[in-house]
Amino acid sequence: MEIYQSLQNWSQDTYIKAYKFAAHAHQGQKVPGTEISYIMHLSFVSMEVIAALNVEQEYDGNLALQCAILHDTIEDTNTTFEQIKTEFDEAVANGVLALTKDESLAKHLQMADSLRRIKEQPPEIWMVKLADRISNLQAPPHYWTQDKITQYREEAIEIYEALKDASSFLASRLAKKIEDYKAFIE
Ligand code: NI
């Protein structure tokens, strides 16, 4: 039997462990405006990261993928920083925390604050934020106003400008999504 020596820089077992943790944490949550399980979003974000890792092999794929899968656990579930640190490691917990909005701040300050904290993290964490917004630039929920949609696109440009240097692969994919998103603005 031949052992395939790939250039893959992440492990399926690490992925599965993080995915199970996230699936439990987000249990019962739905993609906003739909009846679809929330974890579809985590599948999409991690898929975008895997696509980037295929061509940008200098990155720590396990760090990027664990943070991709866990990125909303502190923000949207009862999961704590300490739990992630214990179950995974400190780098993953720090990454997820940086990807978490600080809700004690006024809403209009939250994105700039989050981007500032992400930029203090390794590029793998920047990649997750790029992948997250790529995944979210699909058809907006039916109840969003034109103002909200326009603002969401502007925020995406802000994310692109702040984080594009981490991954030219994800940056160019996000740029394309930002362009396509114009179709939702009347
Ligand atoms: Ni997300």
Side-chain angles (χ1 to χ4, degrees), residues 49-172:
V49 170
I50 290 169
L53 292 171
N54 281 338
V55 291
E56 295 173 336
Q57 294 174 339
E58 67 272 34
Y59 292 116
D60 177 346
N62 283 325
L63 175 62
L65 282 170
Q66 287 173 103
C67 288
I69 294 164
L70 300 169
H71 78 273
D72 281 329
T73 52
I74 296 179
E75 189 165 300
D76 293 340
T77 79
N78 295 328
T79 308
T80 63
F81 174 88
E82 284 303 323
Q83 269 175 299
I84 295 177
K85 188 175 152 189
T86 306
E87 194 69 26
F88 301 94
D89 63 34
E90 189 160 15
V92 173
N94 285 333
V96 174
L97 188 61
L99 292 159
T100 303
K101 274 187 273 191
D102 180 349
E103 280 167 349
S104 72
L105 296 173
K107 208 153 178 82
H108 69 283
L109 300 174
Q110 289 176 6
M111 179 57 72
D113 168 71
S114 176
L115 289 174
R116 182 187 55 72
R117 289 183 290 110
I118 289 167
K119 290 184 83 165
E120 291 170 356
Q121 293 289 311
E124 286 83 355
I125 312 309
W126 306 27
M127 292 171 82
V128 174
K129 188 68 192 177
L130 291 168
D132 186 34
R133 190 50 63 106
I134 290 166
S135 307
N136 284 338
L137 285 180
Q138 300 182 30
H142 61 87
Y143 50 84
W144 278 19
T145 62
Q146 278 292 308
D147 268 3
K148 168 82 183 163
I149 295 169
T150 304
Q151 190 199 328
Y152 202 67
R153 184 172 179 274
E154 276 160 16
E155 219 179 65
I157 296 170
E158 200 182 327
I159 293 168
Y160 173 87
E161 289 299 335
L163 306 178
K164 61 181 186 305
D165 292 340
S167 164
S168 52
F169 183 92
L170 291 171
S172 75

Side-chain angles (χ1 to χ4, degrees), residues 10-61:
W10 57 279
S11 128
Q12 290 94 323
D13 295 326
T14 303
Y15 184 102
I16 289 166
K17 181 185 170 188
Y19 203 95
K20 281 184 175 167
F21 183 96
H24 279 292
H26 289 283
Q27 193 163 18
Q29 294 177 1
K30 303 282 161 72
V31 174
T34 78
E35 283 304 307
I36 297 169
S37 175
Y38 187 75
I39 57 170
M40 182 176 79
H41 171 62
L42 308 175
S43 303
F44 286 173
V45 175
S46 55
M47 176 273 289
E48 296 290 347
V49 170
I50 290 169
L53 292 171
N54 281 338
V55 291
E56 295 173 336
Q57 294 174 339
E58 67 272 34
Y59 292 116
D60 177 346

